[in-house]
């Protein structure tokens, strides 16, 4: 069982909808990440939060808006998405932002845009 | 620049040993990580190397040579459930940015 919990597991939304993806971890990790993964491709980094501050935005369109309310929670707010945004969205966490500790992934949210 | 390369597909026999190779190039290197991903599921962390040498975790071992930009994942006593994609990734920069390879699809047959 993963120690990073993502909800919902599946989400279908129209292009005009607003929805949010949620991620929670209770391992005391201080770095959290959002990735996007298309079918048969590796995960691609979207955002990095370190100590609840946004540290990296990989030139992600503004229709994706991340939020880190506290050290255990990470949200991804979605608005006016496009069909090409359909993908598996993965949350991950690591002990800190130093690259010598592994990232642990949640089960992901499978997003479909109609 | 940064790049990472691993074979696209491999096949192996149940009970055997398989080695999945990974080569990488980067100017900043923090560590090398291996993940397993079954179709439609999230990646699961398997093993990692920060320093040169072999790290052993049960049936899985990973090796790193930083001077050669080379790593491998060794899977022993293969089981059918080991059929999956294996992702090699290195961490670069000050914020643990993971750069993933395209993944190696391993098929284990009886």
């Amino acid at each position: 069982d993963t120690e990073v919990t993502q909800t919902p597991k599946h989400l279908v939304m129209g292009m005009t909808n607003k929805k949010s993806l949620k991620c929670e971890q209770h391992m005391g990790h201080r770095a959290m990440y959002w990735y996007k993964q298309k079918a048969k491709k590796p995960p691609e980094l979207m955002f990095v939060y370190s100590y609840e501050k946004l540290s990296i935005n990989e030139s992600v369109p503004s229709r994706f808006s991340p939020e880190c309310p506290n050290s255990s929670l990470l949200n991804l707010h979605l608005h006016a998405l496009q069909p090409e945004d359909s993908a598996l969205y993965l949350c991950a966490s690591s002990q800190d932002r130093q690259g010598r500790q592994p990232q642990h992934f949640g089960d992901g949210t499978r997003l479909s845009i109609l | 620049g940064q790049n990472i390369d691993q074979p696209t597909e491999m096949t192996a026999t149940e009970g055997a040993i398989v080695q999945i190779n990974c080569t990488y190039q980067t100017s900043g290197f923090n560590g090398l990580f291996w993940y397993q991903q079954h179709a439609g599921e999230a990646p699961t962390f398997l093993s990692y190397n920060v320093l040169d040498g072999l790290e052993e975790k049960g049936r899985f071992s990973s090796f790193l040579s930083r001077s050669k930009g080379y790593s491998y994942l060794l899977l022993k006593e293969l089981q059918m459930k080991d059929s999956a994609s294996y992702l090699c990734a290195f961490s670069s920069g000050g914020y643990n940015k993971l750069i993933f390879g395209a993944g190696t699809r391993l098929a284990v047959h009886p």
Side-chain angles (χ1 to χ4, degrees):
Chain A
D1 290 338
T2 180
E3 295 181 78
V4 179
T5 304
Q6 291 187 241
T7 55
K9 294 193 182 305
H10 301 275
L11 179 62
V12 179
M13 58 187 287
M15 289 189 285
T16 59
N17 293 155
K18 286 185 180 180
K19 296 287 185 182
S20 297
L21 309 184
K22 297 186 182 300
C23 174
E24 189 169 7
Q25 58 88 13
H26 293 290
M27 295 180 282
H29 288 176
R30 303 313 301 267
M32 297 185 75
Y33 313 80
W34 280 114
Y35 288 84
K36 173 182 178 180
Q37 187 175 25
K38 301 284 277 185
K40 300 188 185 300
K41 297 289 186 182
E44 294 180 353
L45 182 68
M46 299 174 71
F47 302 103
V48 178
Y49 272 83
S50 176
Y51 289 84
E52 298 136 58
K53 294 193 187 313
L54 182 63
S55 302
I56 292 181
N57 176 341
E58 288 288 294
S59 302
V60 179
S62 60
R63 57 185 184 268
F64 295 91
S65 176
E67 178 197 20
C68 189
N70 59 56
S71 60
S72 300
L73 292 173
L74 187 65
N75 299 322
L76 186 63
H77 302 299
L78 314 173
H79 174 55
L81 294 194
Q82 304 297 309
E84 61 266 27
D85 296 324
S86 297
L88 180 67
Y89 287 84
L90 295 162
C91 174
S93 71
S94 64
Q95 188 169 349
D96 53 41
R97 66 174 178 85
Q98 301 300 321
R100 295 175 173 233
Q101 292 295 326
Q103 295 180 25
H104 297 273
F105 287 84
D107 288 338
T109 294
R110 190 161 298 282
L111 176 65
S112 297
I113 306 300
L114 301 178
Chain B
Q2 296 180 318
N3 63 75
I4 183 166
D5 193 37
Q6 53 183 125
T8 303
E9 292 183 346
M10 299 183 71
T11 59
T13 304
E14 192 176 15
I17 299 173
V18 70
Q19 178 175 310
I20 302 174
N21 295 323
C22 173
T23 57
Y24 65 90
Q25 281 185 312
T26 179
S27 55
F29 177 84
N30 299 319
L32 194 292
F33 302 85
W34 286 95
Y35 290 85
Q36 179 192 63
Q37 188 171 27
H38 286 98
E41 299 182 9
T44 302
F45 168 69
L46 291 177
S47 185
Y48 78 113
N49 300 75
V50 174
L51 301 176
D52 292 352
L54 187 68
E55 291 287 337
E56 297 188 82
K57 289 182 66 175
R59 292 192 300 117
F60 300 96
S61 303
S62 59
F63 172 84
L64 175 67
S65 169
R66 289 172 295 170
S67 62
K68 296 182 179 179
Y70 169 69
S71 174
Y72 67 73
L73 179 70
L74 196 68
L75 293 78
K76 303 175 187 175
E77 302 170 12
L78 280 172
Q79 303 173 9
M80 299 297 291
K81 67 178 183 180
D82 296 328
S83 294
S85 283
Y86 290 86
L87 299 166
C88 171
F90 65 80
S91 171
S92 174
Y95 288 96
N96 198 10
K97 178 176 178 177
L98 281 183
I99 307 297
F100 283 89
T104 299
R105 286 194 301 277
L106 175 66
V108 179
H109 54 83

